[in-house]
Amino acid sequence: MNTPGESPSQEAAPDGSPVDLYARMPTFGEPEMIHAQVALGASVLDLGCGTGRIAVPVARLGHPVVAVDESAAMLARIPADPRIRPVQASIQDLDLGESFAAVVLAGNLVNTDDDRLRQHLLGASARHLAPGGVVLVQWRPPDWFAAGQGTRHLGTIEVARTETALGNDRFGFSVDYRDGDDVWHHDYTFRRLSEADLRDVLAEAGLQIRQWLSPDRLWFSAQALSS
Ligand SMILES: C[S@@+](CC[C@H](N)C(=O)[O-])C[C@H]1O[C@@H](n2cnc3c(N)ncnc32)[C@H](O)[C@@H]1O
């Protein structure tokens, strides 16, 4: 938290995610949901972990976590914890030579507008999956798009979003975040994937949907095609 009158840092990860914003973002049941998907004490790989918003409470629930992010500034915000091993790496290049009961791919990274990158993200997820393990994915389902302008709240953080259709299922987002007097901005482009598109890219990575994890379909679990 900043002292009164001091602006928050505008430092951002290479993908534009503001570091201070994610350090301040609460959880919304994600750690408990992940905990419920795996055996007690099972290992978790958190891909694109940011400041450890999810990794830290998952570790507190008793899981050893490898927390991967390409941003050193994000990783630096993860408090030292013997149960968490931070790794600075690009997800697409990751090859830890280890496998995990659960691989978490949160932050809607799967909606990247870069089709090759999406495939590599899912490939890295599959590559690190233990036999019988699950990939837990947060994505933006098709009905989330084409909503235009909107304001919502994530805890105390107000999120004001403007959306522009760019064609070919690409959408540009310009998002203003406000928490009290502190503000951040993030521009990004997402690709809208139909459920059929999603099943296709998963299959190409050797994965298939196992279960929708929330009624709004913002999270699902996937498993190896061969399981
Ligand atoms: C939207 S933030 C979400 C952070 C965290 N998962 C959460 O839910 O709070 C996305 C994070 O993914 C990281 N990231 C994006 N693309 C990445 C990539 N290709 N390899 C590694 N990290 C990546 C960013 O640096 C950022 O920290």
Side-chain angles (χ1 to χ4, degrees):
M1 197 50 89
N2 305 288
T3 52
E6 188 187 347
S7 304
S9 158
Q10 296 298 319
E11 188 169 22
D15 74 347
S17 302
V19 176
D20 265 3
L21 170 69
Y22 279 92
R24 219 181 274 190
M25 188 92 71
T27 56
F28 302 93
E30 303 94 330
E32 295 75 15
M33 180 197 70
I34 293 163
H35 181 58
Q37 292 299 313
V38 289
L40 284 180
S43 59
V44 174
L45 175 64
D46 186 3
L47 297 176
C49 63
T51 57
R53 186 180 70 87
I54 293 175
V56 170
V58 165
R60 287 189 184 137
L61 288 166
H63 302 276
V65 180
V66 175
V68 175
D69 206 284
E70 63 187 353
S71 163
M74 287 281 191
L75 291 174
R77 299 298 187 91
I78 301 178
D81 183 323
R83 295 162 297 195
I84 302 178
R85 176 154 57 98
V87 173
Q88 187 184 0
S90 300
I91 298 166
Q92 58 272 32
D93 299 326
L94 193 70
D95 197 353
L96 293 169
E98 295 170 55
S99 58
F100 298 80
V103 177
V104 177
L105 190 61
N108 311 307
L109 297 184
V110 80
N111 287 99
T112 172
D113 66 333
D114 180 336
D115 295 338
R116 276 173 52 99
L117 177 60
R118 176 180 316 105
Q119 211 54 63
H120 287 308
L121 298 177
L122 291 170
S125 304
R127 182 157 75 236
H128 291 92
L129 204 55
V134 282
V135 186
L136 303 171
V137 184
Q138 182 186 29
W139 78 314
R140 291 304 188 191
D143 61 5
W144 184 84
F145 291 82
Q149 308 247 132
T151 301
R152 64 193 175 117
H153 283 86
L154 296 173
T156 60
I157 302 168
E158 184 184 271
V159 185
R161 188 181 77 199
T162 308
E163 177 186 305
T164 309
L166 303 174
N168 292 327
D169 277 326
R170 261 78 181 171
F171 291 81
F173 295 93
S174 175
V175 188
D176 288 305
Y177 299 89
R178 173 179 290 282
D179 187 21
D181 291 336
D182 297 335
V183 295
W184 300 268
H185 186 80
H186 190 188
D187 291 320
Y188 55 88
T189 305
F190 271 174
R191 170 151 176 229
R192 179 173 57 192
L193 300 167
S194 68
E195 219 175 285
D197 294 332
L198 177 66
R199 289 181 192 278
D200 285 349
V201 292
L202 286 169
E204 209 171 311
L207 297 168
Q208 60 186 335
I209 293 177
R210 180 159 107 169
Q211 196 187 348
W212 295 102
L213 297 176
S214 56
D216 53 16
R217 295 197 163 208
L218 295 179
W219 281 87
F220 63 88
S221 60
Q223 63 189 18
L225 270 174
S226 51
S227 351

